[in-house]
């Protein structure tokens, strides 16, 4: 049962205002391969959104930047983990 004052969820892949024609920036906590960001971008693009930018807190440097670049997107990260150094 929904709490008072909160809308019920429809469990659609995209909820709220239709993204058609809107510019959308994807936000994620951690980017590894970039697959989940790309999946989200594809769904939004199918719905008509313009998605060219993703932002994450931590880029694990595991291919996300290159994958997204291959799909006309840029990834900006607050921090990048280049792996451990001996």
């Amino acid at each position: 049962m929904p709490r008072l004052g909160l809308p019920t969820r429809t469990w659609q892949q995209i909820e709220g205002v239709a993204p058609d024609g809107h510019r959308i920036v994807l936000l994620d906590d951690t980017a590894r391969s970039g697959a989940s960001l790309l999946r989200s971008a594809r769904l939004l693009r199918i719905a008509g959104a313009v998605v060219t930018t993703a932002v994450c807190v931590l880029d694990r440097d595991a291919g996300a930047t290159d994958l997204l670049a291959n799909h006309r997107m840029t990834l900006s990260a607050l921090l990048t983990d280049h792996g451990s150094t001996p």
Side-chain angles (χ1 to χ4, degrees):
M1 180 171 204
R3 295 186 342 210
L4 295 177
L6 295 177
T8 58
R9 294 185 124 325
T10 62
W11 300 107
Q12 297 179 20
Q13 290 181 326
I14 300 173
E15 295 187 9
V17 178
D20 189 27
H22 287 88
R23 297 185 66 79
I24 296 185
V25 174
L26 299 178
L27 178 63
D28 204 351
D29 57 351
T30 304
R32 287 182 180 84
S33 69
S36 63
L37 287 167
L38 182 57
R39 229 180 347 264
S40 297
R42 284 180 172 161
L43 288 171
L44 289 163
R45 286 174 172 173
I46 289 169
V50 178
V51 184
T52 59
T53 305
V55 178
C56 66
V57 176
L58 177 63
D59 179 2
R60 294 283 186 182
D61 200 23
T65 302
D66 294 334
L67 177 68
L68 296 179
N70 290 337
H71 294 275
R72 301 176 323 276
M73 293 181 65
T74 58
L75 176 64
S76 298
L78 297 176
L79 302 167
T80 302
D81 179 8
H82 294 290
S84 59
T85 55

